[in-house]
């Protein structure tokens, strides 16, 4: 795009088919245009942009805005415009060119006299017109009558080759994400919210604009950005746009949408029994319905459109649809059964009480229905309704499974430790109950699942106390339960990978993570592995890469795909997990503001979806990145709200982040105290990944004892974590007498590559430097860091590449380059590198060899005798 093109109009248009500048140039050159697109395609917005571009270049422009009130008035649209140039268009006998370009927003509202006048003027080349025409979406109620006289006149010009037609396609997901970025407060929207908005927009640019405005308004107020979409104000712009959008959908489609909304996760086979099968498949093809890859093909619906469908049909009508579905299922329960329908029946019986038809069914059926309702309520944490459903079923017939649900609703489970995750407690208790009445094959699976859950609970407790060897052992035993269900095996495999990462055995952890990825990549989703299980697995793998100091960009790409799927299949709990995983991903990439945004949005939805300890660790990870970025007030606020009582893992991580804050404040003595306290918690533990970090910080802060330095070297030799060798290399390159630690020097893990960093070349070997400063040959002495950066610049590395290799910010690298140039008198960055490299060569020749030390002796002469600073 040339410099003369404005960014205020054309720059705000997203999509390859809508370049307002190019289209305006065509109109100025005398080519008449027909801009065609369905409702919500951004047709009117594009035509306004074309008009603005024409006016910017000084082209006279007459804008005709037809309206229904003037449709039957001859020349009503032209006369209402009030532009003198249109008087010439009305004259049927004149042949003089009409100055400028005429823009007609919607031809369907033109009167026949006006359209024929415009038709004649265009056909005789007297004027140039940009027409806008609304086309129909597939399966629309009113596809538009192309035999209509007005539409036929305009389409005839196109068929004769006089008009150039531009058909606007519906909004793609990629273009939708680009549109969201154009809004001023788009930075407030997390990735899960963006994915949810893209799906709910249903390809409509008009809907997306209103959705983003509603979401950003909620985010500014500190609420869940999706909360306004659950109850739309009927007088809002969004409600009006939604009403127009849904008005084009056929009634069978509306019934299917509203029915699936009330029966979430309805199986595809059940849906085709209850609703028009053609509508079901057409809605799947259009994207308004989504079927997960499970064997049941469970359906989720675009709830925004479905809410409006339900309103237009009427609540009573939709209730009758659901009641009929329940009656049919109960009548044919020997042939088929649907859990979502059973839940709806149980809720209706609970609501109507004695007025319901519950007593018309045998006790076994009533128990089956009540069990479905109780389990669904317990799973979403609604214990009051779970107890009500269970007790109603128990009145019909005593049943062990119902008694269990009632007990879970009232007290959890007295047989199971209270510190186990509530979801795990429910799975263990249900497995035990099912085992008592199951077949031998089912009994084997449920027993194995119960063992897996108990072992994983043991691993969680061990990890919380920094005993990662015991945690890895328990998780490995859980992963070895081949009789367990696919979901239980997935959780166990993820757990053993994470435990081995903390323990320092990265290659073994990667082996387990690859097994997890194979499970997630299976074409047919295994039973029990839904969005929640998939997101929990991805979140754990992201955390594992961050702990190991490995680049997790590949896992982050997997997260992006999972978030898009979760926007269709998941609910608040799944979106919360997606946000928590996003917070880890952005923290690993060194993007603290995005990381904090993801976590804030996640916790505004359903905080209980993420375990308390995991939430605390993610919060501390966000605080660490905020502190490294200099946003100390925000970091302190997060640290203050973290409860570190009980779990040594959280206590140590809190001290670790406090160290970063104190270094950023310039309080180095206080930073040494918290670094020492964190190191004391990891001393003698099997948390190698954390121990390496703590020892590195003691060395960086000049507070390490000789045995701690030796331990760091030993850990680098006995673990295969990416951060291990890097910690020793960085420690060896640090001068022993440099006391002014910069906060950037505390970062040990490499920042993850982003989507735009794929072309970065592999890391080149970094020149090893002595811990002691060597004198510079010219001017003032350079620090070791300045010399290191100068030598890397001499190798041709850019500041960004140097920052990536040394885990510094680009601004810090630029500062070091500037200071070094001033000291040696270098006129440029390239000359700085050449002078420092030449001086290093002369010193090596004088000394008779290189002075760089091997990694087995990182301390060097004089370091061992140094006493720590306190």
């Amino acid at each position: 795009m040339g410099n003369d093109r404005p960014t205020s109009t054309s720059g705000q248009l997203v999509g390859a088919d809508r370049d307002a500048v190019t289209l305006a140039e065509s109109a100025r050159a005398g080519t008449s245009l027909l801009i065609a697109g369905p409702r919500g395609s951004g047709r009117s917005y594009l035509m306004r942009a074309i008009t603005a571009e024409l006016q910017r270049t000084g082209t006279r422009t007459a804008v005709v805005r037809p309206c229904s009130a003037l449709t039957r008035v001859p020349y009503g649209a032209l006369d209402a415009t009030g532009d003198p140039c249109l008087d010439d268009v009305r004259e049927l006998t004149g042949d003089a060119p009409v100055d400028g370009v005429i823009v007609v927003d919607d031809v369907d509202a033109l009167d026949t006299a006006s359209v024929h006048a415009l038709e004649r003027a265009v056909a005789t080349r007297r004027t140039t017109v940009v027409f806008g025409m609304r086309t129909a979406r597939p399966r629309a109620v009113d596809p538009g009558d192309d035999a209509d006289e007005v539409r036929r006149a305009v389409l005839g010009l196109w068929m004769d080759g006089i008009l150039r037609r531009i058909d606007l396609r519906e909004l793609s997901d990629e273009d939708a994400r680009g549109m969201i970025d154009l809004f001023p407060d788009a930075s407030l929207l997390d990735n899960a919210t963006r994915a949810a908005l893209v799906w709910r927009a249903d390809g409509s640019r008009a809907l997306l604009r209103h959705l983003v405005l509603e979401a950003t308004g909620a985010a500014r107020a500190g609420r869940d950005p999706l909360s306004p979409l659950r109850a739309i104000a009927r007088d809002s712009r969004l409600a009006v746009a939604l009403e127009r959008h849904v008005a084009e959908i056929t009634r069978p489609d509306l019934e299917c949408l509203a029915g699936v909304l009330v029966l979430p996760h309805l199986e595809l086979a059940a849906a085709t029994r209850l609703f028009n099968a053609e509508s079901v498949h057409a809605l799947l093809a259009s994207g308004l319905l989504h079927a997960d890859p499970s064997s049941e093909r469970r359906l989720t619906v675009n709830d925004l459109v479905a809410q409006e469908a339900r309103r237009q049909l009427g609540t009573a009508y939709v209730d009758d649809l659901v009641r009929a579905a329940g009656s049919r299922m109960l009548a044919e329960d020997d042939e088929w059964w649907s859990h979502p329908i059973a839940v709806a029946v149980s809720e209706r019986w609970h609501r109507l009480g004695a007025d319901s038809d519950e007593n018309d069914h045998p006790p076994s059926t009533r128990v089956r229905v009540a069990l479905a309702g109780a389990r669904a309520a317990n799973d979403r944490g609604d214990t009051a309704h779970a107890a009500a459903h269970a007790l109603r079923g128990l009145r019909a017939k005593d049943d062990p499974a119902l008694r269990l649900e009632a007990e879970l609703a009232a007290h959890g489970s007295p047989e199971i430790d209270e510190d186990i995750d509530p979801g795990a407690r429910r799975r263990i208790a249900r497995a035990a109950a099912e085992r008592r009445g199951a077949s031998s094959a089912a009994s084997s699976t449920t027993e194995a699942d119960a063992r897996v859950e108990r072992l994983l609970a043991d691993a969680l407790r061990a990890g919380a106390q920094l005993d990662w060897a015991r945690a890895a052992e328990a998780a490995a035993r859980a992963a070895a339960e081949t009789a367990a269900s696919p979901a239980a095996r997935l959780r166990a495999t993820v757990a053993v990978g994470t435990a081995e990462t903390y323990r320092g055995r990265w290659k073994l952890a990667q082996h387990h993570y690859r097994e997890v990825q194979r499970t997630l990549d299976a074409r047919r989703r295994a039973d029990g592995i839904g969005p929640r299980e998939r997101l929990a697995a991805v979140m754990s793998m992201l955390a594992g890469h961050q702990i190991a100091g490995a680049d997790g960009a590949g896992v982050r790409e997997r997260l992006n795909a999972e978030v898009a799927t979760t926007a269709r299949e998941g609910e608040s709990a799944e979106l919360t997990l997606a946000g928590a995983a996003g917070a880890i991903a952005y923290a690993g990439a060194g993007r603290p503001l995005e990381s904090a945004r993801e976590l804030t949005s996640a916790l505004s939805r359903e905080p209980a979806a993420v375990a308390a300890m995991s939430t605390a660790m993610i919060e501390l990870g966000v605080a660490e990145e905020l502190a490294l970025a200099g946003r100390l007030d925000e970091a302190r606020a997060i640290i203050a709200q973290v409860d570190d009582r009980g779990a040594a893992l959280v206590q140590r991580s809190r001290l670790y982040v406090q160290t970063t804050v104190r270094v950023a404040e310039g309080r180095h003595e206080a930073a040494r105290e918290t670094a020492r306290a964190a190191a004391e918690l990891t001393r003698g533990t099997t948390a190698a990944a954390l121990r390496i970090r703590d020892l590195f910080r003691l060395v960086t802060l000049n507070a390490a004892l000789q045995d701690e330095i030796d331990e760091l070297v030993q850990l680098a030799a006995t673990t295969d974590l990416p951060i291990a060798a890097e910690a020793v290399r960085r420690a060896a390159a640090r001068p022993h007498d440099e006391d002014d630690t910069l906060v950037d020097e505390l970062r040990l893990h490499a920042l993850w590559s982003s989507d735009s960093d794929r072309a970065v070349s592999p890391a080149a070997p970094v020149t090893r430097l002595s811990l002691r400063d060597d004198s510079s040959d010219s001017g003032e002495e350079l620090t070791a860091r300045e010399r290191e950066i100068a030598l890397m610049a001499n190798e041709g590395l850019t500041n960004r590449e140097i920052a990536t290799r040394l885990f510094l910010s680009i601004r810090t690298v630029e500062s070091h380059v500037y200071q070094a140039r001033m000291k040696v008198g270098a006129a440029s960055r390239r000359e700085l590198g050449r002078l420092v490299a030449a001086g290093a060569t002369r010193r090596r020749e004088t000394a008779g060899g290189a002075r760089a030390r091997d990694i087995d002796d990182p301390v060097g002469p004089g370091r061992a005798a140094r006493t720590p600073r306190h």
Side-chain angles (χ1 to χ4, degrees):
M1 186 175 290
N3 294 333
D4 59 331
R5 295 183 179 182
T7 58
S8 58
T9 55
S10 59
Q12 300 295 307
L13 292 169
V14 176
D17 58 347
R18 52 196 74 214
D19 186 346
V21 173
T22 301
L23 293 175
E25 289 174 353
S26 296
R28 280 200 304 273
T31 301
S32 292
L33 304 173
L34 172 59
I35 311 296
R39 187 187 298 279
S41 63
R43 183 189 70 254
S44 297
Y45 192 84
L46 173 60
M47 295 188 70
R48 286 196 296 271
I50 294 172
T51 302
E53 177 63 19
L54 290 169
Q55 292 172 343
R56 185 190 70 84
T57 56
T59 304
R60 183 176 181 182
T61 308
V63 181
V64 179
R65 302 189 186 280
C67 65
S68 57
L70 299 176
T71 302
R72 299 182 180 278
V73 179
Y75 301 110
L78 299 185
D79 292 341
T81 302
D83 193 306
C85 75
L86 295 178
D87 295 337
D88 297 332
V89 174
R90 289 186 55 178
E91 301 298 329
L92 301 180
T93 56
D95 57 3
V98 177
D99 184 30
V101 176
I102 300 171
V103 179
V104 183
D105 190 17
D106 186 1
V107 299
D108 288 294
L110 277 176
D111 59 275
T112 55
S114 293
V115 76
H116 286 310
L118 292 170
E119 177 188 25
R120 180 177 179 278
V122 171
T124 58
R125 308 294 183 182
R126 293 183 58 206
T127 190
T128 301
V129 180
V130 180
F131 290 104
M133 177 181 289
R134 183 164 63 88
T135 57
R137 302 185 73 189
R139 295 177 56 80
V141 175
D142 180 14
D145 184 8
D146 286 342
D148 175 80
E149 185 176 355
V150 173
R151 293 176 67 90
R152 189 173 65 245
V154 177
L155 291 173
L157 292 172
W158 167 57
M159 292 294 293
D160 292 337
I162 299 173
L163 285 180
R164 175 190 168 195
R165 177 168 174 168
I166 296 93
D167 283 289
L168 302 179
R169 54 184 172 84
E170 288 192 341
L171 184 66
S172 67
D173 289 357
E174 182 179 357
D175 285 349
R177 289 189 289 269
M179 272 190 65
I180 292 174
D181 286 333
L182 296 178
F183 286 79
D185 292 326
S187 60
L188 300 175
L189 302 181
D190 59 298
N191 287 338
T193 295
R194 291 171 185 239
L197 296 181
V198 169
W199 187 40
R200 285 164 173 79
D202 188 32
S204 169
R205 292 169 181 258
L207 271 185
L208 183 62
R209 290 191 191 98
H210 296 303
L211 288 171
V212 174
L213 292 174
E214 294 284 350
T216 52
R220 282 195 304 271
R223 295 182 288 118
D224 175 5
L226 296 178
S227 59
L229 310 186
R230 300 188 185 105
I232 302 171
R234 294 313 310 164
D235 58 347
S236 65
R237 290 177 179 269
L238 173 59
V240 175
L242 186 59
E243 183 178 8
R244 292 176 177 176
H245 183 83
V246 175
E248 298 186 347
I249 300 178
T250 62
R251 188 174 184 85
D253 291 358
L254 292 178
E255 292 176 355
C256 181
L257 291 172
V260 177
L261 175 68
V262 182
L263 302 170
H265 308 295
L266 182 68
E267 302 86 351
L268 178 60
T272 53
R273 292 176 188 268
L274 305 174
F275 308 112
N276 183 288
E278 181 185 354
S279 290
V280 173
H281 293 297
L283 291 170
L284 283 170
S286 69
L288 282 171
L289 280 183
H290 169 80
D292 70 14
S294 67
S295 57
E296 292 84 2
R297 303 297 306 278
R298 298 182 183 90
L299 301 176
T300 48
V301 65
N302 181 324
D303 58 350
L304 184 78
V305 178
Q307 283 181 53
E308 180 62 21
R310 183 181 183 182
R311 190 191 71 81
Q312 293 193 11
L313 290 172
T315 303
Y317 184 84
V318 176
D319 287 346
D320 288 340
L321 285 177
V322 176
R323 184 181 299 107
S327 299
R328 180 176 177 183
M329 183 195 71
L330 294 175
E332 303 172 3
D333 62 349
D334 57 340
E335 180 182 348
W336 63 283
W337 186 268
S338 170
H339 177 74
I341 297 176
V343 172
V345 171
S346 184
E347 291 174 347
R348 181 166 61 85
W349 287 354
H350 168 73
R351 185 172 63 255
L352 297 179
D355 294 333
S356 70
D357 58 351
E358 178 180 4
N359 293 327
D360 296 342
H361 300 278
S364 58
T365 300
R366 293 161 60 185
V367 166
R368 196 176 180 186
V369 169
L371 183 59
R375 283 189 171 178
N378 259 332
D379 286 345
R380 65 175 180 264
D382 187 355
T383 56
H385 280 91
H389 290 302
L391 292 175
R392 195 187 68 251
L394 288 171
R395 285 196 298 270
K397 180 182 177 182
D398 185 40
D399 182 81
L402 272 177
R403 287 202 308 273
L404 171 64
E405 296 301 329
E407 186 177 12
L408 288 174
H411 309 294
S413 178
E415 303 174 357
I416 304 170
D417 296 339
E418 287 300 321
D419 56 348
I420 297 178
D421 176 76
R425 286 205 301 272
R426 287 195 295 270
R427 289 191 294 267
I428 295 172
R430 285 173 180 166
E434 291 170 1
R435 182 175 66 247
R436 290 190 284 268
S439 64
S440 58
S443 178
S444 175
T445 299
T446 54
E447 287 179 2
D449 280 5
R451 288 194 297 270
V452 166
E453 297 298 345
R454 291 184 183 278
L455 287 168
L456 293 182
D458 290 342
L460 180 64
R461 285 191 290 267
Q465 299 308 317
L466 300 176
D467 188 354
W468 287 102
R470 184 163 68 87
E473 178 185 358
R477 288 168 56 198
E481 292 284 353
T482 56
S485 66
R489 291 201 304 273
L490 176 65
R491 288 191 291 272
T493 307
V494 170
V496 70
T498 302
E500 293 293 0
T501 302
Y502 274 105
R503 195 178 179 184
R505 304 201 289 187
W506 178 235
K507 289 182 180 177
L508 184 56
Q510 287 179 300
H511 167 76
H512 292 287
Y513 284 159
R514 283 192 293 271
E515 183 65 30
V516 171
Q517 291 169 350
R518 281 192 289 271
T519 300
L520 298 181
D521 289 337
R523 179 171 297 179
R524 178 63 67 187
R525 183 180 297 177
D527 290 340
I529 300 180
R532 187 175 305 197
E533 289 74 22
R534 297 173 68 88
L535 284 168
V538 172
M539 184 172 71
S540 294
M541 288 194 294
L542 286 167
H545 281 74
Q546 190 178 45
I547 294 161
D551 190 345
V555 186
R556 185 175 62 182
E557 289 179 357
R558 181 180 293 276
L559 171 64
N560 293 338
E562 292 293 343
V563 168
T565 302
T566 300
R568 290 163 168 78
E569 297 179 14
E571 298 175 356
S572 292
E574 287 76 15
L575 292 175
T576 298
L577 281 173
I584 298 173
Y586 279 120
R591 299 168 65 178
L593 296 182
E594 292 92 336
S595 182
R597 177 198 68 194
E598 295 290 312
L599 185 60
T600 300
S601 293
L603 297 182
S604 72
R605 293 188 172 109
E606 195 167 327
V610 185
M613 189 171 71
S614 297
T615 300
M617 293 297 290
I618 296 171
E619 287 176 329
L620 290 172
V622 173
E624 171 78 0
E625 290 302 322
L626 288 169
L628 288 169
R631 306 180 76 91
L632 301 182
D633 290 341
E634 296 164 67
R636 292 190 201 97
I638 293 177
I639 294 172
Q641 69 187 18
V642 172
D643 183 4
D644 62 355
R645 292 172 293 182
L649 176 63
V650 180
Q651 293 173 10
R652 175 262 164 201
S653 299
R654 192 170 190 268
L655 291 167
Y656 187 86
V657 180
Q658 284 178 326
T659 301
T660 306
V661 172
R662 291 178 176 183
V663 171
E665 293 170 338
R667 300 165 57 202
H668 290 87
E669 288 299 330
R672 293 184 184 98
E673 292 176 5
T674 49
R676 170 62 59 190
E680 289 302 318
L681 287 174
T682 56
R683 181 187 297 276
T685 69
T686 52
L690 304 182
R691 183 64 177 166
I692 289 170
R693 285 175 163 82
D694 293 339
L695 293 174
F696 170 75
R697 289 209 161 180
L698 291 177
V699 172
T700 303
L701 293 167
N702 291 327
L705 300 171
Q706 180 58 47
D707 64 334
E708 291 169 331
I709 296 172
D710 294 340
E711 183 184 359
L712 179 59
V713 176
Q714 182 66 20
L715 284 171
T718 57
T719 68
D720 58 1
L721 295 169
I723 61 167
E726 182 59 29
V728 175
R729 187 196 71 80
R730 294 266 303 281
R734 180 172 175 77
H736 73 281
D737 57 352
E738 186 172 310
D739 194 37
D740 187 17
T741 303
L742 299 175
V743 71
D744 278 333
E745 297 177 26
L746 297 180
R747 185 193 297 281
L748 185 55
H749 69 274
L751 295 179
W752 297 355
S753 55
S754 63
D755 296 338
S756 59
D757 296 337
R758 301 301 179 211
V760 175
S761 59
V766 178
T767 305
R768 298 178 188 273
L769 298 173
S770 168
L771 283 176
R772 296 179 301 172
D773 284 343
D774 295 322
S775 298
S776 173
D777 283 355
S778 57
E780 188 179 350
E781 292 184 358
L782 298 181
T783 66
R785 179 68 81 195
E786 289 168 350
R787 261 194 321 281
E788 185 176 22
I789 290 174
L791 290 172
M792 294 176 77
N794 187 59
E795 295 174 6
L797 299 180
T798 66
N799 285 350
R800 180 179 293 277
E801 291 170 328
I802 294 173
T804 300
R805 307 287 168 81
L806 298 181
F807 318 123
L808 303 174
S809 68
I810 297 177
R811 186 172 181 179
T812 298
V813 173
E814 292 172 345
S815 176
H816 282 309
V817 170
Y818 176 79
Q819 295 294 339
R821 283 180 52 205
M822 296 302 101
K823 290 179 181 180
V824 302
S828 66
R829 185 177 179 277
R830 179 175 298 179
E831 184 180 355
L832 167 67
R834 181 179 58 79
L835 290 175
V836 174
T841 301
R842 287 194 297 272
R843 285 193 298 274
R844 284 196 297 269
E845 292 172 350
T846 302
R851 300 183 59 188
R853 275 181 288 278
D854 188 80
I855 195 170
D856 292 332
D857 182 22
V859 179
R863 183 69 180 262
R866 182 179 52 82
T867 57
R869 298 177 59 93
H870 297 290

